[in-house]
Amino acid sequence: QVQLKESGGGLVQAGGSLRLSCAASGRTFSSYAMGWFRRAPGKEREFVAAITRFGSNKYYADSVKGRFTISRDNTKNTVAVQMNSLKPEDTAVYYCAARLGQTKTALAEYEHWGQGTQVTVSS
């Protein structure tokens, strides 16, 4: 079992940057592929980015490619997403998620979720 807690959300102007972090409990963090998802107002939760267990491969939604960077530190049990060139359409609640084994981009594949952190991008 792993518990996840996100931090780093807030209000930022368009074009600005934010860094979200997710702290995981437990001693087997490197057993989990990690992902970030978001839910914008009135929309379904969607995939943002994912990273393999040891960080060798990263995956991004087309909408954030080139602007967001996912990373992880297995010594600190953390995963982060650096978000640059933010747009108003990036406004959403951002969730950290974990799944044992292989990395996936479908939210249904993830077993563990954080409670989310709000990101608001003003125009």
Side-chain angles (χ1 to χ4, degrees), residues 20-36:
L20 304 183
S21 293
C22 174
S25 64
R27 294 177 290 179
T28 58
F29 183 66
S30 61
S31 298
Y32 293 87
M34 300 299 297
W36 285 96

Side-chain angles (χ1 to χ4, degrees), residues 4-6 21-24 29 34-37 45 79-80 94-98 110 112-117:
L4 306 172
K5 184 172 178 59
E6 304 92 340
S21 293
C22 174
F29 183 66
M34 300 299 297
W36 285 96
F37 294 79
R45 196 175 299 193
V79 61
Y94 284 73
Y95 299 88
C96 172
Y110 284 78
H112 308 284
W113 293 84
Q115 293 192 331
T117 185

